[in-house]
Amino acid sequence: MPNNRAHWGSRLAFILAAAGSAIGLGNIWKFPYITGVNGGGAFVILYLFCIFAVGVPILISEMYIGQKAQCNNVQAFRKLASGNKWGPLAGWLGLGSAFMILSFYSVVGGWILDFEFRAITHLLTGDFTDFEDGAALNSLLGNPWRQLAWHAVFMSLVTWIVYRGVKEGLEKWNKILMPTLMGLLVLLFIRVMFLEGFSEAFSFLFSPDFSKLTGDGALEAVGHSFFTLSLGMGAIMVYGSYLDENENLVKTSLAVAFLDTLIALLAGLVIFSIVFTYDLDASAGPGLIFATLPTLFNKMTGGSLLSIAFFFMITFAAITSAVSILEVVIAYWSEHKKVSREKASLIIGFIMFAVGVLHVFSTNLWSDIFNILGKTNFFDLFDLLTSSYMLPIGGVMIALFYGWVLGPQSVDNTIKDDNPVLKLGLLWACRLIAPLLVVIILYSKVKELFA
Ligand code: PHE
């Protein structure tokens, strides 16, 4: 292990950082709205199954590869299996996914900052009208310059944290932002428990009606389990590479998967309790937290403070995920090309900002000219390509590398105690179950594209 390589200060620091990566817009924005669109309970059960049957084994594989190799992702595959040609491909694919995901993630991060700013302004001015009927979202989408400004602020914050390094940047900020995020969520949860819609929200999420589950919903559940656990592009792998070699990965990854799931479910309960209290429809789609929820905050006692807490919570979730995406590229560039971390962060941060500009313009100024694969903006196109294809493919490559190339010996190293059932389960989840499920989704997705 190179002596100068940074390491997390403690196990908790790593868990908070990995959970920080996992818990993000995927949990608080995407999970509630796709659950709403897919009818609730049955979708949630399938999602939980995917998290534990596919997600956790790949989470363990990523952590293991990073921890063992103690270097950036592309080199990690080379180092662990010299001569294996497709291993580094997973590393390259991950770099591509990182560019694509962060460029749109940061634009949405900017929207959240804008909403936070508005929520604070409301408290000062007493004027809440822009939170009515999606007005804030519409005006933002129609105003590229405002979006660009917030996108620049978001990207600067993320770049700054990565610029500061593993200990002073990633570890320090995850340690501050993650507990604060959880505290805010608990406060919001306590508040919504007193709302009329709480019990309805509870049964919406937890009493399954399988007749509401469609094929598309099932595919979405598998795809989302990759996105929400940050799998398939090496974010967890690069964090694993800053981990001491004797860390118990099974417990750690279960803790991360548990926290990620808990936060998604709590966020779902908070959002749906509010939505059902006002008899609104759960299936509003992507506008759920940007259009539906703000209107409702205006109707609630203490809604103004709640909206501030809510948007702070998502801001923190988004920042701690975004830094892990940027770190994938920075670790590679600074280690492999021997560029300083500082210089790499500034340059890559700027390039990602520039790609994000395309997203901003494709929703307004250029909306007429854009149409690829049936998607009318860059944002949807990049989301489709990464969440539905690149992350699952990357995840399967990682699982296959762990299951077949590294093989039973690595499973023995991962699960240190003598538990043959667990070992076999992990080995075959990586060798067969996860790849099979992904092949099924990819097949149906591709079929749908050409239908
Ligand atoms: N897991 C993050 C979320 O739920 C998104 C993410 C995807 C982060 C891939 C890193 C890598 O929002």
Side-chain angles (χ1 to χ4, degrees):
M1 175 193 312
N3 291 333
N4 58 0
R5 192 175 173 77
H7 276 91
W8 305 110
S10 63
R11 176 184 211 193
L12 182 69
F14 171 67
I15 294 183
L16 285 178
S21 169
I23 297 164
L25 296 174
N27 302 59
I28 305 173
W29 172 49
K30 216 169 165 189
F31 172 75
Y33 92 67
I34 59 179
T35 303
V37 171
N38 287 298
F43 177 82
V44 173
I45 291 199
L46 190 68
Y47 165 80
L48 292 178
F49 170 79
C50 293
I51 291 283
F52 289 94
V54 183
V56 170
I58 300 183
L59 194 62
I60 297 177
S61 317
E62 281 209 26
M63 278 184 196
Y64 180 84
I65 296 172
Q67 184 197 35
K68 198 82 197 147
Q70 299 281 311
C71 63
N72 67 79
N73 302 344
V74 177
Q75 283 175 311
F77 291 100
R78 290 205 183 106
K79 195 165 164 184
L80 296 187
S82 49
N84 179 293
K85 290 205 186 59
W86 60 265
L89 255 183
W92 286 109
L93 186 69
L95 291 179
S97 306
F99 268 98
M100 292 174 68
I101 296 182
L102 193 51
S103 64
F104 72 76
Y105 209 85
S106 169
V107 175
V108 182
W111 297 358
I112 308 257
L113 290 178
D114 182 66
F115 274 68
E116 180 61 54
F117 176 75
R118 288 173 194 267
I120 296 174
T121 316
H122 295 165
L123 199 64
L124 304 175
T125 60
D127 175 8
F128 300 91
T129 38
D130 65 353
F131 266 10
E132 286 301 331
D133 302 323
L137 181 63
N138 290 336
S139 92
L140 187 62
L141 288 180
N143 185 341
W145 311 112
R146 190 170 173 133
Q147 282 192 68
L148 273 189
W150 284 117
H151 164 47
V153 175
F154 186 87
M155 205 58 219
S156 308
L157 292 172
V158 171
T159 305
W160 167 246
I161 294 178
V162 174
Y163 176 101
R164 298 285 289 145
V166 175
K167 283 247 166 196
E168 282 304 305
L170 302 171
E171 175 165 336
K172 181 170 155 193
W173 285 101
N174 272 299
K175 270 188 171 163
I176 297 173
L177 298 181
M178 287 311 288
T180 317
L181 174 166
M182 292 174 200
L184 286 172
L185 184 55
V186 170
L187 284 180
L188 288 162
F189 184 73
I190 295 175
R191 172 67 183 88
V192 302
M193 276 169 74
F194 296 98
L195 291 178
E196 257 169 54
F198 180 73
S199 54
E200 200 182 329
F202 198 86
S203 55
F204 180 70
L205 284 180
F206 298 113
S207 47
D209 171 356
F210 282 93
S211 67
K212 289 192 179 146
L213 195 62
T214 61
D216 279 352
L219 300 181
E220 194 145 24
V222 189
H224 188 62
S225 65
F226 281 91
F227 187 83
T228 189
L229 288 177
S230 304
L231 299 176
M233 58 162 265
I236 297 293
M237 195 181 293
V238 79
Y239 275 10
S241 76
Y242 304 125
L243 195 56
D244 282 337
E245 282 199 60
N246 46 16
E247 198 55 68
N248 181 330
L249 297 185
V250 179
K251 277 194 198 145
T252 317
S253 34
L254 283 175
V256 173
F258 173 77
L259 281 174
D260 186 72
T261 309
L262 182 73
I263 303 284
L265 293 174
L266 287 180
L269 278 172
V270 166
I271 292 169
F272 290 124
S273 300
I274 300 177
V275 169
F276 291 146
T277 300
Y278 295 96
D279 273 337
L280 284 183
D281 191 6
S283 58
L288 190 63
I289 68 163
F290 292 113
T292 314
L293 213 56
T295 314
L296 302 182
F297 280 135
N298 275 358
K299 300 197 165 111
M300 292 169 70
T301 338
S304 178
L305 285 178
L306 284 182
S307 64
I308 293 179
F310 184 81
F311 286 110
F312 261 126
M313 172 180 76
I314 318 183
T315 305
F316 298 162
I319 290 179
T320 52
S321 297
V323 292
S324 74
I325 306 179
L326 185 56
E327 180 62 21
V328 170
V329 186
I330 301 310
Y332 170 72
W333 214 38
S334 59
E335 280 172 21
H336 190 58
K337 302 275 183 230
K338 310 271 181 278
V339 180
S340 72
R341 162 178 286 273
E342 289 79 6
K343 192 171 166 193
S345 311
L346 293 176
I347 295 176
I348 301 289
F350 182 77
I351 296 177
M352 291 192 170
F353 167 77
V355 182
V357 174
L358 301 176
H359 296 293
V360 171
F361 287 157
S362 75
T363 55
N364 40 61
L365 298 183
W366 299 342
S367 58
D368 296 341
I369 50 173
F370 193 86
N371 192 341
I372 298 177
L373 291 178
K375 299 290 170 193
T376 51
N377 57 57
F378 262 102
F379 183 93
D380 287 346
L381 180 72
F382 275 31
D383 186 25
L384 173 86
L385 289 177
T386 52
S387 319
S388 302
Y389 299 98
M390 295 166 74
L391 294 185
I393 292 174
V396 165
M397 289 169 95
I398 292 166
L400 291 172
F401 184 84
Y402 178 83
W404 293 102
V405 180
L406 301 179
Q409 177 66 43
S410 296
V411 177
D412 275 343
N413 291 340
T414 316
I415 303 178
K416 295 201 170 72
D417 39 56
D418 188 27
N419 190 334
V421 180
L422 199 62
K423 286 182 182 174
L424 266 184
L426 177 60
L427 184 68
W428 285 97
C430 291
R431 282 185 164 181
L432 195 69
I433 300 174
L436 205 66
L437 269 170
V438 170
V439 168
I440 297 172
I441 26 171
L442 288 182
Y443 173 73
S444 348
K445 286 268 174 196
V446 172
K447 217 170 74 181
E448 190 182 298
L449 272 185
F450 292 103

